[in-house]
Amino acid sequence: MTDLVETARARFTELYGRAPQGIWSAPGRVNLIGEHTDYNDGFVFLFAIDRRTVAALALRDDRTVRLTSSFTDEIVETTLADLGPGGAHGWQNYPLGVAWALSQSGLGQLGADLDAVPGFDLYLDSDVPVGAGLSSSAAIESAVAVALNDVWRLDLDRNALVKAGHIAENEVVGAPTGILDQSASLLGRLDCGIFIDCRSLERDVIPLGFDEAGLEVLVMDTKVEHEHAAGGYAARRASCEAGARELGVESLREVSISDLPRAREVLDGETFRRVRHVVTENQRVLDTVRTLREQGPRAIGDLMDASHRSLRDDFEVSVPQLDLAVEISQNYGAIGARMTGGGFGGSAIALVPRELISHVEAAVDGAFAEHGYAQPDLFAVVPSDGARRDE
Ligand code: GLA
């Protein structure tokens, strides 16, 4: 982390010919449990990881905005007046979108007046792997949000910054996403998870106790990118909506485990299994939070395992590589394991005693080679602090 901050300061100075005014950073996230529940008004329990995006930034005395990152040689130049939807940029839409979003109503608080604030130079660097489902985009948004909140002296609270990231993603980047990722990135706390009720948007920071229990979370990125991911995701959402409609409820959040026998009579087999996943997964999120409180982290493994089975068999969003990663990690000492994220590829996670991490890694690597699968990317993460100023 210090390395990223040092490098960002040096690169910023080299590129823009002056030192940055400050350096801020924000983490990616991992979803511990609660999959395909968010768009059903359900529960999610996720945490910020120790992989971060850093933003080195300095205000200018004009309205120009310049930005670049460690991933490109190009410096993009625009002005505050040109920010907003329709911005013809690529990844730059994330940081530029946030700068614009901070001026929008809908933050719940007064934001920036883009006619009155100065432009800025920005440099971004990150060790959040891109494409592994760890929300590198929320890390960028949140780092830029806290940086601009400081230098523009906006005094917005974290909830408003979550909304700014959400506005940027939905209106500038054009991705119809929720508030989960920004919530984890902005509200994360060392060794804590963030419980989110997606209906009320209430959030709760809950101690995980992984550190004391000697546990780490192994991320197993299968590198599989399924061609049907987008279509499959949309189809699952449609099934959930159809299920809710047929059961006469607004969302599957209103369906409880005791309603399942009736649901089985009313719904066709496939829709029933989709519904059963969502209903049982919501319960597993609540059970995970309760179990952590009552028995500690070593007791949540079965819930993670059950979540994976439900995603595999009822929701049918797993792939053989995810199943293998889960199964091998379980066999070699993980306390619990499951796919994480939307599925059809991407990453699985395993809760592993610290001393067994390399043992599990070797086993998973070996099993993937044996099956002729591409080598997975394996790395341990620990639940970490959310966005902050580093310098
Ligand atoms: C994707 C979406 C999330 C969520 C997960 C499944 O990652 O971006 O909003 O729906 O799938 O839990």
Side-chain angles (χ1 to χ4, degrees):
M1 187 53 214
T2 345
D3 279 359
L4 271 186
V5 172
E6 299 298 312
T7 322
R9 190 188 325 99
R11 279 296 283 158
F12 184 100
T13 310
E14 199 176 308
L15 288 163
Y16 296 119
R18 60 185 174 133
Q21 197 172 326
I23 298 179
W24 295 258
S25 69
R29 62 94 187 93
V30 155
N31 192 7
L32 186 61
I33 196 158
E35 220 64 80
H36 289 277
T37 47
D38 59 346
Y39 54 83
N40 289 301
D41 278 355
F43 305 116
V44 184
F45 191 39
L46 66 183
F47 63 87
I49 59 175
D50 53 335
R51 298 284 193 120
R52 305 178 75 88
T53 291
V54 296
L57 187 144
L59 290 178
R60 302 172 53 90
D61 44 23
D62 57 17
R63 308 198 63 225
T64 299
V65 172
R66 294 192 295 174
L67 74 152
T68 186
S69 79
S70 57
F71 302 103
T72 170
D73 290 329
E74 186 197 11
I75 298 184
V76 165
E77 185 166 329
T78 181
T79 73
L80 291 175
D82 291 323
L83 300 181
H89 303 286
W91 66 268
Q92 295 91 347
N93 279 335
Y94 290 95
L96 294 175
V98 167
W100 174 78
L102 286 170
S103 73
Q104 297 302 295
S105 64
L107 299 179
Q109 274 178 280
L110 223 50
D113 174 358
L114 289 185
D115 292 328
V117 291
F120 55 88
D121 292 332
L122 170 65
Y123 174 82
L124 296 167
D125 196 353
S126 180
D127 63 5
V128 184
V130 175
L134 300 180
S135 204
S136 51
S137 48
I140 295 177
E141 290 158 17
S142 304
V144 172
V146 286
L148 289 175
N149 189 41
D150 274 3
V151 296
W152 281 346
R153 300 179 188 286
L154 302 178
D155 213 18
L156 295 170
D157 66 21
R158 293 278 160 137
N159 286 331
L161 300 183
V162 167
K163 287 180 188 157
H166 182 238
I167 293 172
E169 229 170 86
N170 282 263
E171 295 183 33
V172 180
V173 177
T177 54
I179 50 133
L180 301 183
D181 303 342
Q182 295 86 358
S183 298
S185 188
L186 282 155
L187 305 174
R189 260 205 257 139
L190 194 63
D191 209 14
C192 289
I194 315 288
F195 169 85
I196 304 180
D197 177 340
C198 297
R199 184 165 66 184
S200 66
L201 300 187
E202 266 166 57
R203 286 162 291 211
D204 217 354
V205 179
I206 293 166
L208 292 167
F210 288 178
D211 188 37
E212 204 191 321
L215 298 173
E216 290 186 0
V217 173
L218 182 66
V219 177
M220 304 175 282
D221 178 5
T222 63
K223 305 278 196 175
V224 177
E225 230 179 287
H226 201 284
E227 45 181 316
H228 300 307
Y233 186 82
R236 294 307 179 279
R237 283 187 82 135
S239 286
C240 292
E241 281 161 23
R245 215 171 26 245
E246 284 168 52
L247 293 171
V249 291
E250 198 156 310
S251 74
L252 295 183
R253 164 67 174 277
E254 270 119 85
V255 183
S256 63
I257 304 245
S258 59
D259 297 325
L260 286 177
R262 185 180 76 88
R264 189 196 285 276
E265 282 168 23
V266 176
L267 303 173
D268 67 83
E270 182 181 288
T271 309
F272 172 68
R273 283 184 291 114
R274 305 296 188 247
V275 168
R276 180 165 62 185
H277 164 71
V278 174
V279 172
T280 56
E281 185 78 349
N282 274 333
Q283 188 58 46
R284 281 186 289 271
V285 178
L286 298 176
D287 289 347
T288 300
V289 171
R290 187 176 40 78
T291 303
L292 274 173
R293 286 195 172 122
E294 291 173 2
Q295 301 173 52
R298 285 188 178 252
I300 67 170
D302 291 347
L303 291 160
M304 295 174 72
D305 297 345
S307 169
H308 184 76
R309 284 195 300 274
S310 178
L311 286 157
R312 184 190 62 198
D313 302 337
D314 272 358
F315 218 61
E316 295 181 280
V317 290
S318 190
V319 294
Q321 288 88 337
L322 288 168
D323 294 340
L324 183 67
V326 165
E327 186 196 323
I328 298 294
S329 59
Q330 286 163 339
N331 292 348
Y332 283 81
I335 280 169
R338 57 181 288 275
M339 55 155 279
T340 183
F344 305 102
S347 298
I349 53 168
L351 186 60
V352 183
R354 201 174 284 138
E355 66 280 6
L356 291 180
I357 290 271
S358 49
H359 181 62
V360 173
E361 280 177 345
V364 172
D365 258 334
F368 269 60
E370 225 169 85
H371 281 74
Y373 296 153
Q375 198 182 6
D377 200 5
L378 309 173
F379 50 91
V381 295
V382 297
S384 298
D385 279 329
R388 61 171 182 239
R389 182 171 191 154
D390 291 291
E391 278 193 359

